[in-house]
Amino acid sequence: MKLPLEDIKILDLSRIYAAPAGSMILADLGADVIRIESPKGTDSMRDWSPFVQNESTYYFTANRNKRSVTIDLKNEVGKSLFLKLVKNADVVLENFKTGTLDRLGIGYDQLKKMNPNIILCSVTGYGQTGPYSKEPGFDPVIQAIGGLMDVTGHPEGEPTRVGIPVVDMICSLYTAVSIMSAIRARDKGEEGQHIDLSLLDVQISSLANIASSYLMTGYISKRLGNQHNNVVPYQVFQCKDRPLMIAVGNDKQFHKLCEILDRPEWLSNEKFKTNSARVENRVEITELLEQIFITKSADEWFKLLSEKGIPSGPVNNVEQALNHPQVQAREMVVEVPHPTLGKIKLVRNPIRFSKTPITIRKHPPLLGEHTVSFLQEELQLDLKDIENLRSQGAI
């Protein structure tokens, strides 16, 4: 059965995580994603530990289902070769600093001359316009500037970044959605277009209720560790053996919690009977709950809470998470063949279609692994032509 994007060809010039993870989503959905890398290697992720036989496990996280072709875009012959490839492409994806493509002579205006329908997606730290547009942007810096770090961490501690590159990850989703939308617009008769995605824009848009609270009331959210600014109890409690996260999202669930804890008197206590009251008296209710949750194991509490429909879960480390029975039942970890490592384990795409199964068809590519076969297929070059390009430093 055909995948949704099988007829889409993407030339992926991007590096690190946000943009490559976005093109990986499109590759999972069937797009032919060709990573255009320098012959010397320009993606820092290939150099990030830990390694398995010189292959970066970090690189594996954003590059499955792609091909790798090496082209030196600073080489005039290489640039000419790339522009030829644009003729038959649908999308060019890049995340160089603003203005770099124009300096290389392959900016949007140049790409349109080769292919009027081309879609260029540019992912940068701060966007193509504005006073910060030329600044480099990395996930933790954007977490800081975009307000995320200020609301993450304990009240008495320092601002804390999220332990995964969360801005990059959210941006990867916008990358995939925006490219698919531009393709859809083109299919309806529109021309190709330039997509301008900014990590900072993505972070600001992801402030959600924190932004809304400030914009509508002037309220500036505070760091509360694992607690919630607007809902109580919605936090981690230490149990007899390990921590447990509970999320009592409304008064009905709080009533059920009181039943489980055998504290019916809380339901008539003006300090606790409504969420607004619990927010006002968070310290008192939290101390009372702490005294109770410490008396049983996290799994014991999870069973009791689950029976009443209250969201909760023990705090797992990565090993426990990947070996969780639900994760295993959903087969979220798969083994795929690799040309130098034999087999590697990867986390699968979480999308599940009823009729269009998504699989890992290609391992994360070695640097330049598909250069020869791709140029033979795409431009009908023979081995002599390809060797000539190599001798000129173009590939």
Side-chain angles (χ1 to χ4, degrees):
M1 190 166 292
K2 289 187 177 182
L3 290 166
L5 302 181
E6 278 188 7
D7 58 344
I8 301 300
K9 183 172 293 181
I10 299 171
L11 303 179
D12 184 359
L13 306 179
S14 63
R15 303 157 295 164
I16 314 296
Y17 194 88
S23 65
M24 182 177 71
I25 295 171
L26 301 174
D28 288 348
L29 294 170
D32 184 12
V33 177
I34 300 96
R35 295 226 56 197
I36 306 294
E37 303 183 71
S38 165
K40 298 177 182 178
T42 54
D43 193 335
S44 301
M45 279 218 300
R46 287 192 182 273
D47 302 323
W48 291 352
S49 62
F51 297 95
V52 178
Q53 297 181 27
N54 297 320
E55 293 297 326
S56 167
T57 57
Y58 206 126
Y59 182 82
F60 289 170
T61 63
N63 290 289
R64 64 175 177 253
N65 285 333
K66 302 179 185 180
R67 296 191 281 174
S68 173
V69 172
T70 54
I71 298 177
D72 186 349
L73 297 175
K74 295 180 181 179
N75 179 293
E76 287 301 317
V77 177
K79 181 172 70 175
S80 176
L81 180 65
F82 171 74
L83 289 172
K84 288 180 183 177
L85 298 177
V86 170
K87 289 182 179 180
N88 295 318
D90 296 283
V91 179
V92 172
L93 173 63
E94 61 95 12
N95 63 347
F96 295 113
K97 288 176 64 175
T98 298
T100 299
L101 282 194
D102 287 327
R103 287 195 297 273
L104 289 172
I106 52 174
Y108 184 50
D109 289 339
Q110 287 77 24
L111 298 181
K112 283 195 299 182
K113 291 177 183 177
M114 303 302 296
N115 181 351
N117 290 320
I118 197 70
I119 294 164
L120 172 63
C121 181
S122 297
V123 180
T124 57
Y126 299 94
Q128 302 294 305
T129 60
Y132 277 57
S133 61
K134 298 297 175 67
E135 291 289 325
F138 277 70
D139 180 278
V141 176
I142 301 300
Q143 288 195 39
I145 290 179
L148 179 57
M149 283 179 62
D150 187 60
V151 296
T152 307
H154 287 278
E156 66 277 9
E158 65 179 9
T160 304
R161 74 173 181 88
V162 179
I164 56 174
V166 64
V167 183
D168 281 350
M169 296 173 75
I170 299 172
C171 190
S172 74
L173 300 175
Y174 279 106
T175 298
V177 169
S178 64
I179 288 174
M180 286 191 289
S181 299
I183 291 171
R184 177 64 174 145
R186 192 190 62 184
D187 289 345
K188 294 170 69 176
E190 300 290 336
E191 295 181 347
Q193 54 189 304
H194 187 186
I195 302 166
D196 174 10
L197 270 177
S198 153
L199 290 178
L200 183 59
D201 291 352
V202 166
Q203 170 51 37
I204 293 298
S205 73
S206 303
L207 286 174
N209 59 295
I210 290 174
S212 182
S213 295
Y214 169 73
L215 292 172
M216 300 303 294
T217 70
Y219 176 75
I220 298 177
S221 297
K222 304 174 180 64
R223 285 196 302 283
L224 289 173
N226 293 309
Q227 299 183 40
H228 196 293
N229 267 271
N230 312 107
V231 186
V232 175
Y234 200 103
Q235 63 203 85
V236 167
F237 289 98
Q238 181 61 47
C239 300
K240 186 180 288 186
D241 57 342
R242 56 176 171 155
L244 176 79
M245 180 73 199
I246 72 166
V248 179
N250 54 53
D251 291 336
K252 183 178 180 180
Q253 289 182 344
F254 183 72
H255 290 184
K256 292 180 179 179
L257 179 65
C258 291
E259 293 176 23
I260 296 168
L261 303 182
D262 193 25
R263 294 296 187 277
E265 67 274 15
W266 289 356
L267 297 177
S268 58
N269 190 325
E270 293 297 328
K271 292 182 179 180
F272 307 146
K273 64 189 299 185
T274 67
N275 180 67
S276 296
R278 292 191 296 275
V279 170
E280 289 294 323
N281 297 280
R282 107 172 31 246
V283 173
E284 184 174 350
I285 187 65
T286 297
E287 289 176 351
L288 292 171
L289 289 167
E290 287 173 341
Q291 296 170 18
I292 299 173
F293 277 107
I294 197 68
T295 62
K296 298 182 189 295
S297 72
D299 286 335
E300 287 177 303
W301 282 121
F302 170 73
K303 185 175 185 300
L304 291 169
L305 294 165
S306 177
E307 289 172 351
K308 292 291 186 178
I310 297 176
S312 72
V315 178
N316 290 328
N317 62 28
V318 66
E319 180 180 19
Q320 292 167 325
L322 290 172
N323 287 289
H324 190 282
Q326 182 67 12
V327 175
Q328 291 188 334
R330 300 281 286 177
E331 298 180 334
M332 283 302 298
V333 178
V334 295
E335 277 193 342
V336 298
H338 188 275
T340 63
L341 303 180
K343 286 186 177 181
I344 58 174
K345 289 183 178 180
L346 300 174
V347 176
R348 56 160 288 171
N349 189 300
I351 299 172
R352 294 172 191 263
F353 292 118
S354 62
K355 295 184 178 180
T356 315
I358 295 177
T359 60
I360 300 179
R361 306 175 307 283
K362 301 184 184 76
H363 59 271
L366 304 175
L367 179 63
E369 180 179 348
H370 305 97
T371 302
V372 173
S373 60
F374 178 73
L375 293 178
Q376 287 176 321
E377 166 195 318
E378 187 73 11
L379 300 179
Q380 289 75 53
L381 301 182
D382 58 30
L383 291 177
K384 184 177 179 181
D385 294 327
I386 293 171
E387 187 54 41
N388 185 43
L389 289 170
R390 199 184 306 278
S391 68
Q392 296 178 75
I395 62 174

